[in-house]
Amino acid sequence: MPGKAGMMLTFQRFCVYPQNTHTIRLPLAASYSSSLPMASEAIKGAKVLMVGAGGIGCELLKTLALSGFRDIHIIDMDTIEVSNLNRQFLFRQSHVGQSKAKVARDAVLKFRPHINIQPYHANVKDPEFNVDFFKQFNVVLNGLDNLDARRHVNRLCLAADVPLVESGTTGFLGQVTVHVKGKTECYECQPKPAPKTYPVCTITSTPSKVWVCLIAFFVHCIVWAKDLLFAKLFGDKNQDNDLNVRSSDAASSSENVEDVFVRRNDEDIEQYGKKIFDHVFGYNIELALSNEETWKNRNRPKPIYSKDILSDELAQPNGNVDKKCAFDDEFSVSAMKSLGMKNPQDIWSLKENSRIFLEALRLFFTHRGKDVGNLTFDKDDQLAVEFVTAAANIRAASFGIPPYSLFEAKGIAGNIVHAVATTNAVIAGLIVIETIKVLQNDIKSYRMTYCLEHPSRKMLLMPVEPFEPNKSCYVCSETPLSLEINTKRAKLKDFVEKIVKAKLGMNLPLIMNSSNLLYEAGDVEDDMVAIYSANLEKVLAELPSPVTGGTMLTVEDMQQEFVCNVNIKHREEFDEEKEPDSMVLSGWTQHVSAPENKDKPAANNGASTSGASVPAVESDEISIVSPTKKRKLTNVPNAPGNEARNHQDELQVIDDEDDLVMLEGNMEGFKKRKLS
């Protein structure tokens, strides 16, 4: 990957692809400052901001320091956890609980003591990191793990007119992209995937209601166990969900129907555990089965009761449990340890899942009773993971879905894609390569590079030219958005929480209807706080300045120096499953025909295209290659024409079974599109 004339990479890293025995060569700049004399001055004089000091950040800080960078600033709000130590090599066991940014700085200064590294143990969204703060840097390098922060940094870079080098990894996959205002697309020019949410009624009723494959069935069971059952048992018991359902007959027989989830004073923990088990896996399933219409075209679930699974153990509460099992502290409490089960990769039988469920519930109340009522699920909480895994597996058994191991269930519940340290190293090297090009203003050499899981023409790195700015991007091109919403039912707070904050990524929004200010967050005068609070509770059409169909709202975030307009379209009804927010936001992608093949219908990046032979990318995902533009691939041997459209097979090999490649964790994700 040459930059300017004479710029050659001198380091070759070799990586063995795990499913093959052959070796694949990856050109990578791991330590090359001495061989790049033309870039030396640009590197030495650069002031660089790194956002994120985790998996990519540790590798990146090391590589920047070894490459000659002398002024580096790091922002990271996280502290070091034990689970970080397998890949974030600047940290050690003794550092657990300390600031990532500060420990990373100290570790690098041990072998590069004469450079300036300024750490900030803070959130990049804090007010101190404003546009003026960003203006002092020559380039910003992202190593973040969430969409919200990435969007925030993108907008600050646009407002400050500072180049951004974005990155992410997931397992063997990774990418590095360059975003320069007015010259390349911004980070939000292509839509990104949002976390999947499910209507509570759908989760409660049946996994088969919305899913089409077994792993998706199990994900549904995990969501039910984590977000409903765990939250109801160990979180706020006053929360409203459908787990405590009772038949209409029971409800009518008494005004004060017993709350199953409340433990009576005279009820021992074993009795309470059996009661919960029988209610959620037995009674609730039977109640669901009473609606015959639901099961006309789907398999009927089987109610599961504790007496049927543990009949030989119920004489001795919860089986052969070692109640004298010692735990070092409350966070080492483990149902597996208590029951003598050791391997987290074992797939438990229904009986074992039932025993884990009851034992985990018992341990929460006997060893962590002071936390019950205030707990939220944490993937690093062993007992919580055990409980959720067992509960999900029992529910899965009821619906005929195969069980998963604790190891697999933890990955699903915590949205974990297990990291590969080598991928982080490769991506960090690529970030530095692009950073040098940015500092030299070498626009023609900018590359968006994708690290592939399967070799393409004996290469695992796929470099492509960046897109031009998307003229329909609501962030960098200020194109109005369109929002379908029922203005007679939806409140202003629904618009603020579900659209302005959740989808538009604004932190301190200001909302105006023409010249009338409807809402403002942040440092607001006391006499206005009550007015804005009252407005939040009002239906849109009943606001002091009514919002109805045809209204154009202006939404602004002063911290991000970002403004966008939202055109309101009134709509009466919404599909509860497909549109759970009862709002549809659109208008952030362009709709153009592919010039290379005029016989094919136009494809777009958001709206539905009837009859299109090129699959449309959903509005919440980003495409690797657009069918509407050519992207040149650099340094790919035997590439006729050297164009992306000549490498359809190589790009598609990323995932042979599905066009969607979910890249969660350190990377938002992307979706392949077949080339025309």
Side-chain angles (χ1 to χ4, degrees):
M1 250 182 293
K4 287 190 172 183
M7 183 185 292
M8 299 297 294
L9 303 181
T10 60
F11 182 85
Q12 296 288 332
R13 175 174 291 222
F14 295 87
C15 172
V16 178
Y17 181 64
Q19 296 180 4
N20 297 282
T21 57
H22 60 280
T23 302
I24 297 176
R25 179 170 294 177
L26 297 177
L28 177 66
S31 179
Y32 51 81
S33 57
S34 61
S35 64
L36 300 175
M38 299 181 66
S40 179
E41 292 305 315
I43 290 173
K44 291 178 181 178
K47 190 173 185 178
V48 177
L49 174 63
M50 279 179 50
V51 187
I56 294 175
C58 283
E59 290 283 352
L60 179 57
L61 181 59
K62 173 265 299 180
T63 306
L64 288 171
L66 293 176
S67 300
F69 287 84
R70 297 180 176 180
D71 194 357
I72 307 168
H73 294 237
I74 318 166
I75 302 174
D76 196 300
M77 66 181 291
D78 288 341
T79 55
I80 299 162
E81 298 178 4
V82 173
S83 59
N84 301 146
L85 302 181
N86 71 325
R87 63 194 180 281
Q88 298 173 23
F89 73 99
L90 295 179
F91 309 143
R92 298 292 183 267
Q93 181 74 37
S94 60
H95 297 141
V96 171
Q98 298 181 41
S99 163
K100 285 187 176 181
K102 293 178 180 178
V103 172
R105 169 194 180 270
D106 294 342
V108 171
L109 288 181
K110 289 180 179 179
F111 57 86
R112 280 293 184 270
H114 303 301
I115 66 176
N116 175 53
I117 302 178
Q118 177 65 51
Y120 305 88
H121 180 59
N123 190 332
V124 72
K125 295 168 69 175
D126 289 345
E128 63 185 289
F129 304 118
N130 54 22
V131 174
D132 288 336
F133 176 84
F134 272 68
K135 283 182 178 179
Q136 64 182 301
F137 299 100
N138 299 101
V139 63
V140 176
L141 313 179
N142 262 2
L144 289 162
D145 62 358
N146 69 88
L147 175 60
D148 190 40
R150 282 179 162 117
R151 293 157 75 178
H152 182 74
V153 171
N154 176 61
R155 294 170 190 184
L156 289 173
C157 286
L158 287 171
D161 197 11
V162 177
L164 169 65
V165 181
E166 176 60 63
S167 67
T169 64
T170 293
F172 296 102
L173 302 175
Q175 68 181 22
V176 174
T177 57
V178 183
H179 308 281
V180 180
K181 184 177 181 179
K183 298 175 182 177
T184 72
E185 64 182 9
C186 79
Y187 177 71
E188 296 175 82
C189 274
Q190 302 293 339
K192 304 295 187 297
K196 179 67 175 177
T197 59
Y198 314 100
V200 170
C201 60
T202 301
I203 299 171
T204 306
S205 59
T206 164
S208 61
K209 197 168 184 179
V210 294
W211 295 106
V212 294
C213 67
L214 288 178
I215 187 170
F217 285 149
F218 190 75
V219 171
H220 203 280
C221 294
I222 286 285
V223 173
W224 174 88
K226 179 179 69 169
D227 293 348
L228 293 185
L229 183 57
F230 183 90
K232 183 68 174 176
L233 276 170
F234 309 118
D236 182 4
K237 285 185 169 55
N238 295 320
Q239 65 177 294
D240 185 24
N241 68 38
D242 294 336
L243 290 180
N244 197 33
V245 292
R246 286 291 182 184
S247 67
S248 57
D249 292 340
S252 62
S253 63
S254 174
E255 293 183 0
N256 299 314
V257 178
E258 176 192 10
D259 186 340
V260 175
F261 289 88
V262 174
R263 182 183 172 192
R264 300 189 308 269
N265 292 333
D266 62 344
E267 190 173 30
D268 66 39
I269 190 61
E270 282 79 14
Q271 290 176 324
Y272 178 69
K274 284 172 51 184
K275 181 178 71 174
I276 298 298
F277 187 106
D278 293 341
H279 179 79
V280 296
F281 301 119
Y283 176 82
N284 282 359
I285 296 297
E286 285 192 358
L287 195 63
L289 286 170
S290 65
N291 186 352
E292 294 294 336
E293 188 68 25
T294 303
W295 309 103
K296 280 187 176 180
N297 299 312
R298 60 187 68 173
N299 295 328
R300 296 168 65 89
K302 177 185 176 182
I304 299 175
Y305 288 92
S306 58
K307 62 181 178 61
D308 299 323
I309 305 302
L310 301 168
S311 57
D312 58 333
E313 298 184 3
L314 292 181
Q316 297 180 352
N318 207 11
N320 301 316
V321 176
D322 181 7
K323 296 187 178 181
K324 297 181 180 180
C325 184
F327 302 106
D328 295 333
D329 56 65
E330 62 180 21
F331 294 106
S332 68
V333 176
S334 166
M336 287 181 63
K337 182 178 180 181
S338 179
L339 294 173
M341 301 164 68
K342 298 180 180 180
N343 190 350
Q345 299 198 36
D346 285 343
I347 295 179
W348 303 327
S349 66
L350 178 57
K351 182 175 180 178
E352 289 172 325
N353 277 294
S354 301
R355 295 182 67 207
I356 287 285
F357 177 90
L358 293 171
E359 178 63 3
L361 187 147
R362 184 186 74 83
L363 290 172
F364 266 118
F365 281 91
T366 57
H367 285 68
R368 297 175 59 181
K370 68 179 186 298
D371 297 327
V372 172
N374 300 299
L375 286 168
T376 56
F377 178 81
D378 184 346
K379 71 180 187 302
D380 295 317
D381 184 337
Q382 175 69 14
L383 192 60
V385 173
E386 290 171 347
F387 178 85
V388 166
T389 299
N393 277 333
I394 298 168
R395 184 167 174 83
S398 181
F399 286 89
I401 300 167
Y404 278 63
S405 69
L406 180 84
F407 179 81
E408 295 167 318
K410 179 179 179 179
I412 296 171
N415 295 319
I416 299 170
V417 178
H418 299 285
V420 176
T422 305
T423 310
N424 288 337
V426 171
I427 292 300
L430 291 169
I431 293 171
V432 175
I433 291 174
E434 296 306 321
T435 300
I436 294 172
K437 297 176 188 176
V438 167
L439 294 175
Q440 294 182 290
N441 198 29
D442 189 8
I443 301 173
K444 292 183 179 179
S445 295
Y446 292 169
R447 293 293 179 267
M448 300 172 66
T449 306
Y450 298 91
C451 186
L452 309 180
E453 183 173 354
H454 300 274
S456 172
R457 296 184 179 272
K458 297 184 179 180
M459 293 183 65
L460 290 178
L461 300 181
M462 182 68 71
V464 297
E465 289 184 357
F467 279 159
E468 296 175 354
N470 184 347
K471 294 180 181 179
S472 294
C473 176
Y474 74 99
V475 177
C476 64
S477 298
E478 300 182 0
T479 300
L481 296 170
S482 175
L483 177 66
E484 296 179 46
I485 189 172
N486 189 322
T487 58
K488 299 176 183 178
R489 288 206 301 258
K491 296 181 179 180
L492 180 61
K493 71 176 182 180
D494 298 326
F495 174 69
V496 171
E497 295 299 328
K498 297 178 180 179
I499 299 298
V500 176
K501 292 184 178 180
K503 294 193 175 180
L504 299 185
M506 294 190 180
N507 304 316
L508 302 173
L510 180 152
I511 302 171
M512 297 187 69
N513 182 359
S514 186
S515 59
N516 300 305
L517 184 59
L518 300 177
Y519 176 77
E520 182 178 6
D523 188 10
V524 182
E525 296 180 3
D526 293 340
D527 58 337
M528 298 302 296
V529 172
I531 295 175
Y532 295 148
S533 297
N535 281 350
L536 287 175
E537 298 300 326
K538 292 180 181 178
V539 171
L540 293 175
E542 298 174 358
L543 287 165
S545 178
V547 176
T548 58
T551 298
M552 181 72 78
L553 293 178
T554 300
V555 188
E556 180 176 1
D557 190 309
M558 301 298 291
Q559 183 185 10
Q560 299 174 348
E561 295 191 13
F562 169 57
V563 181
C564 74
N565 294 314
V566 181
N567 182 26
I568 302 297
K569 295 183 179 180
H570 176 75
R571 177 173 157 189
E572 286 290 336
E573 301 296 333
F574 293 85
D575 187 306
E576 186 178 349
E577 289 185 14
K578 296 180 181 178
E579 302 159 332
D581 290 337
S582 297
M583 303 178 192
V584 177
L585 184 68
S586 57
W588 49 23
T589 53
Q590 66 185 69
H591 311 278
V592 291
S593 301
E596 285 79 23
N597 192 339
K598 296 181 180 179
D599 295 329
K600 289 194 175 184
N604 62 71
N605 286 343
S608 61
T609 306
S610 59
S613 59
V614 178
V617 176
E618 297 296 328
S619 62
D620 61 355
E621 284 150 349
I622 186 171
S623 60
I624 294 181
V625 180
S626 168
T628 67
K629 298 180 183 180
K630 297 179 182 178
R631 272 190 176 182
K632 292 183 179 179
L633 299 171
T634 58
N635 294 328
V636 181
N638 306 316
N642 208 31
E643 294 174 358
R645 63 190 179 92
N646 291 325
H647 294 276
Q648 177 177 347
D649 294 338
E650 284 73 23
L651 288 175
Q652 290 178 345
V653 79
I654 295 174
D655 188 344
D656 295 328
E657 297 179 355
D658 194 340
D659 283 339
L660 177 62
V661 182
M662 290 305 296
L663 299 179
E664 302 185 54
N666 281 347
M667 187 174 181
E668 256 55 64
F670 56 79
K671 193 168 186 177
K672 305 193 313 296
R673 180 182 281 193
K674 295 180 174 65
L675 301 174
S676 56

